[in-house]
Amino acid sequence: MQLSGIIAYPITPFHPSTGEINLEVLQQSLEHLIEQGCDAIAPLGSTGESAYLSLAEWMNVAECSVNTVNKRLPVIIGISELTTSAAIIKAKYAERIGADAIMVIPVSYWKLSDSEIQAYYQAIADNTSLPIMVYNNPGTSGVDMSPELIVKMAEEIDNISMVKESSGDIQRMHKIFSLSQGKLPFYNGCNPLALEALCAGASGWCTAAPNLLGKHPKALFEAVRSGELESARQQFYQQLPLLHYIVAGGLPKTIKAGLNLLGLDAGIPRQPLQEASAEDKAKLAEYMAAVQ
């Protein structure tokens, strides 16, 4: 599976009165991302509050996302589990409902060895034929996979075909490219590194930014791909204040608040996450207006 461009992350909206998932708003948010020219949709990541969902809720969001997108774009379902068995259940379900790929990040309480991490991915791969995107985000998962380990797994596990690197270290991307001789596609998962990563050869940018910035992230990607670097720099620095703000403020909180400002009733995050403050909303409005 070869993906390039903008891989967009939707929210998981909840009904304010019941706390249940609001499927109607989920569908609206997915349509909004498709309209922004995104190249793939990746539900159930950190923006989608996957860690705060029950298995039944996770399945509900996954199925609704696949059905709503309806093959117009690839759908990459996020899986982040402490146990291998729980991850396998989700991988099998993603394949059964027609997802195009899965994005897998191991989550750890006890520090995992490289052999334990590889065994985790191997077991998932043994139970699904879906392409696997290895997701490295030590800041949220507690697991930091080295470029050496990632490339080794890609060489030894057939399903692994791409990697999302979110450590914030551009040297990791250079190392993945060098170790794999450019054969393993890597994707930027750190918003403030978007320009550097794309210039370094990233196949795409995994981001929640199109929720609030519309077509601007795709325009940045296209400018880099076309070699229009001065235009790319201008677009990047215009977007950068918002990119910093949504990450620092917490993606579920800031993306939902921004969508509410745009007129989509995205609700608020699930507790213990809290709603954006009035000051947060004012800042978001200011940064969003500067890019429109």
Side-chain angles (χ1 to χ4, degrees), residues 26-289:
L26 174 59
Q27 291 169 337
Q28 292 171 5
S29 70
L30 291 166
E31 293 294 347
H32 173 66
L33 290 174
I34 292 171
E35 290 168 4
Q36 308 317 313
C38 299
D39 299 285
I41 303 292
L44 296 162
S46 53
T47 305
E49 300 178 67
S50 178
Y52 302 97
L53 304 179
S54 69
L55 177 59
E57 288 176 325
W58 182 95
M59 289 177 168
N60 208 1
V61 171
E63 184 173 14
C64 179
S65 299
V66 169
N67 290 342
T68 301
V69 176
N70 193 27
K71 297 300 180 184
R72 287 176 287 174
L73 297 176
V75 175
I76 308 170
I77 301 291
I79 297 174
S80 53
E81 288 293 336
L82 280 166
T83 67
T84 304
S85 59
I88 289 171
I89 289 170
K90 289 185 172 181
K92 287 181 174 180
Y93 186 77
E95 183 165 11
R96 187 161 68 249
I97 62 175
D100 298 284
I102 52 177
M103 181 182 67
V104 179
I105 181 170
V107 181
S108 177
Y109 180 87
W110 298 107
K111 182 176 175 59
L112 300 178
S113 67
D114 283 359
S115 64
E116 288 169 329
I117 294 169
Q118 182 157 348
Y120 178 88
Y121 278 99
Q122 183 67 66
I124 296 168
D126 288 343
N127 283 275
T128 180
S129 63
L130 289 177
I132 296 173
M133 173 183 277
V134 172
Y135 178 17
N136 187 51
N137 190 346
T140 58
S141 70
V143 177
D144 190 1
M145 293 177 279
S146 68
E148 290 82 1
L149 173 61
I150 291 170
V151 172
K152 179 177 181 288
M153 291 194 299
E155 291 172 346
E156 297 177 1
I157 302 174
D158 290 341
N159 301 46
I160 292 177
S161 58
M162 45 194 163
V163 54
K164 176 187 173 186
E165 172 52 58
S166 299
S167 67
D169 182 358
I170 191 68
Q171 298 304 321
R172 301 283 190 102
M173 300 184 199
H174 295 321
K175 197 70 177 288
I176 289 168
F177 181 91
S178 298
L179 290 171
S180 70
Q181 298 179 317
K183 295 177 181 177
L184 178 60
F186 62 91
Y187 300 77
N188 174 56
C190 179
N191 283 323
L193 277 185
L195 179 61
E196 292 172 82
L198 293 173
C199 288
S203 295
W205 176 14
C206 301
T207 179
N211 286 284
L212 309 188
L213 291 179
K215 294 180 171 65
H216 291 283
K218 181 63 177 290
L220 170 58
F221 173 81
E222 295 286 3
V224 174
R225 187 168 68 171
S226 301
E228 301 170 4
L229 295 186
E230 182 55 39
S231 172
R233 278 193 292 270
Q234 291 176 5
Q235 293 184 60
F236 174 69
Y237 285 118
Q238 187 182 38
Q239 297 175 47
L240 186 57
L242 184 86
L243 296 177
H244 274 303
Y245 197 78
I246 61 176
V247 173
L251 289 169
K253 176 191 298 186
T254 54
I255 298 300
K256 284 186 170 180
L259 285 172
N260 287 331
L261 291 171
L262 291 173
L264 181 67
D265 186 13
I268 62 175
R270 177 167 279 176
Q271 293 181 344
L273 302 180
Q274 294 185 333
E275 180 180 3
S277 67
E279 182 181 358
D280 290 331
K281 294 173 186 176
K283 276 290 184 184
L284 276 169
E286 175 185 336
Y287 290 143
M288 289 165 64

